[in-house]
């Protein structure tokens, strides 16, 4: 089984909503087991279990929340150096466009890289004006259809990469699914 | 006189349009002289002249364009170490929200910091869902009113900081103009 | 009086040691009042008091510690939007060179920018092989003379910028002190 | 065959030297074909050919050089959206520690992520005081043994990940080689 963890912190509920769509996206790939957990519920064992992780946090002052940071500093401390090579991506809700959601995603990817994860963004667009090149982003709640689609796409791509790279399921490679992908050049 | 340089690279014209609004914003502060120049026109002497600079580039692969980078690597090379203490900010147009415009702004701020500039973003919102915490950003052309307002606000704030900090015009401090500012908490 | 806050989190004591040198550097500028506080001692009022701040944290997983983040997320929450225009810089100790101390500084500068601060690094070198372009950095404790000099330089530059820009003391501008500065080109 | 491209720009020769050690590290994994090319020699076809890439640039003003950026903006323009899922990492030489080499690596990883690459750093240390958590870094030339070891390690890890994830060679997973790895906790 392809194993995906969607880990999130959320205060207003916006990032938690995003997490739900990310989890749905991951489940859209066959034979994928998905754990959807808040940072208060998750344990180091959940991260150790997964092939790939999507980490979500509200954008707080331009980077991830202190609660999400504490998870990686404290709960994950003894796992450091033992979980290299998993796959990772990020998502975040901020107060508005230009409010730091890309940078918050970058801060989560930095943490994941520190743990030896292979991190990525998604080239695809989900509408004329929305993409998720460094993670899925939202201004406030994921109300709009394209924001939801971005979250779904992120989870789906994560599960595709782990299927391809951890389980040898070459048929799940996004390059073979161009008909379902919205690319600006094609 | 308060001296502001708005320096931009643009291929499609989108970032050039943003630059125009930034320049207008800077001019909205009294006794401010504004130079609006493309990266092909500007010289090191223009940067040396200014109190503050707004640098704009299209978001190309998540960071500033190679043409804008070349300007700082080559044209500005001999000015390095001689222009510390000026003020700086950034703006960028990308293909879509989530497409890297925040990160492109960050790359420009990194370059400016390398030259000893004091760099900033803007706390104010310009509409319910748009801010410019790390620079003014647009998805494609600055068509929408709030995106134009973000550019205007960026130039205005730049000219305010240089007025306050370089010319002792304390009355231009944004803290004294709360009535014209849109802040989420107030 | 020129007012400087040196705020730090430290677990091993390495970043606390750096903070001491930063504070000494700030005091080397005349008529400067320096508060040196750990993140457990500091209050929002200390940040509101200062003209400029140097923020230090251990490099934890590539960014600032969760304790330092919590300070800005929680303690400073109600100050957001009311303290724009102060000056800020960063310092960090990591486990080794290449271990993320530059990126940890960047994460602190991102938080400061979010609060409307004007942030900077230092162009000067402190030895042939050490500079502090994005903040002062150390591998483990600040044992070596040049690492201590980098911390001192950071605090000094911070107090210079606030003296020049907040208090109109133009004679403190680093451009007038080239004889005390180590620049690669001169 | 495992296919690795080491792509570099270099002015002083420092980054080119690093590239040589990176290439040696990649070759240390069996059945690995390595292309070592300067940015002036490389073509889009070389990037399309590889399973994984190590990109190296001098740290110029805190980010990658304009020549390296031009390669991705122009030469690679038509490959965008067609090469997702390759593996990538970065290396950089700066004028000194604290001079931006980590941030230059980050800028290269941002570009690679934009192209859909899976990017990583290395958890391992190569000496008491040197690691390569976000890419291999050097202060000026890679003179010291540990800096050379960091470059070698980067290339080796890249070839390990592509062997494991692209070619199903599970025996090359770094978790199975703890005896050759220097980890702070073990």
């Amino acid at each position: 089984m392809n194993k995906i963890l969607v880990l999130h912190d959320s205060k207003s509920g916006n990032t938690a909503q995003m997490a739900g769509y990310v989890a749905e996206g991951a489940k859209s790939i066959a034979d994928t087991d998905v754990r959807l957990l808040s940072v208060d519920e998750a344990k180091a064992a959940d991260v150790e279990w997964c092939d790939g992780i999507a980490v979500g946090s509200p954008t707080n002052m331009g980077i991830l929340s202190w609660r999400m940071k504490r998870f990686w500093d404290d709960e994950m401390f003894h796992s450091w150096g033992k979980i290299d090579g998993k796959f990772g991506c990020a998502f975040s809700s901020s107060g508005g466009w230009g409010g730091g959601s890309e940078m918050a995603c970058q801060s989560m990817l930095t943490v994941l890289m520190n743990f030896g994860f292979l991190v990525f963004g998604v080239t695809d667009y989900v509408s004329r004006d929305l993409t998720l090149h460094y993670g899925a982003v939202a201004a406030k709640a994921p109300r709009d259809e394209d924001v939801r689609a971005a979250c779904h796409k992120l989870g789906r791509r994560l599960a595709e990469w782990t299927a391809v790279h951890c389980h040898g399921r070459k048929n799940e490679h996004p390059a073979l699914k161009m008909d379902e992908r919205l690319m600006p050049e094609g």
Side-chain angles (χ1 to χ4, degrees), chain A:
Chain A
M1 281 295 273
N2 204 14
K3 297 184 290 290
I4 300 297
L5 174 61
V6 180
L7 172 69
H8 62 91
D9 184 28
S10 191
K11 204 177 198 171
S12 64
N14 295 343
T15 306
Q17 278 186 56
M18 294 178 81
Y21 297 115
V22 174
E24 281 181 25
K27 284 178 196 160
S28 75
I29 298 298
D31 298 316
T32 300
D33 191 1
V34 178
R35 291 186 189 173
L36 172 60
L37 295 172
S38 83
V39 76
D40 297 322
E41 302 167 308
K43 299 290 176 195
D46 295 304
V47 178
E48 291 168 7
W49 162 82
C50 76
D51 297 316
I53 191 170
V55 182
S57 165
T59 300
N60 288 163
M61 314 306 174
I63 59 175
L64 82 182
S65 68
W66 70 263
R67 288 176 197 278
M68 181 55 82
K69 185 69 196 329
R70 186 177 57 177
F71 179 82
W72 294 94
D73 283 3
D74 289 359
E75 173 68 20
M76 293 302 298
F77 186 78
H78 293 293
S79 303
W80 191 87
K82 299 171 189 156
I83 54 174
D84 302 58
K86 295 175 187 290
F87 292 78
C89 59
F91 58 98
S92 188
S93 166
S94 67
W97 303 114
S101 55
E102 289 179 3
M103 298 173 81
C105 285
Q106 187 186 39
S107 73
M108 289 182 267
L109 297 180
T110 295
V111 170
L112 292 175
M113 284 182 61
N114 188 283
F115 276 86
F117 283 38
L118 301 144
V119 305
F120 66 93
V122 176
T123 47
D124 311 38
Y125 276 61
V126 289
S127 69
R128 183 181 177 278
D129 283 340
L130 186 67
T131 181
L132 55 151
H133 286 355
Y134 308 97
V137 292
K140 300 193 171 73
R143 288 179 309 274
D144 295 331
E145 187 50 44
D146 58 356
V147 174
R148 297 177 179 197
C151 297
H152 191 278
K153 175 69 75 175
L154 184 75
R156 185 170 169 83
R157 184 59 43 88
L158 173 59
E160 288 173 332
W161 288 139
T162 55
V164 170
H165 290 308
C166 301
H167 301 287
R169 293 164 56 182
K170 301 294 184 194
N171 63 312
E172 294 290 1
H173 199 295
L176 303 177
K177 306 178 187 179
M178 295 308 290
D179 56 322
E180 73 172 44
R181 299 173 60 196
L182 180 60
M183 309 295 285
E185 300 297 307

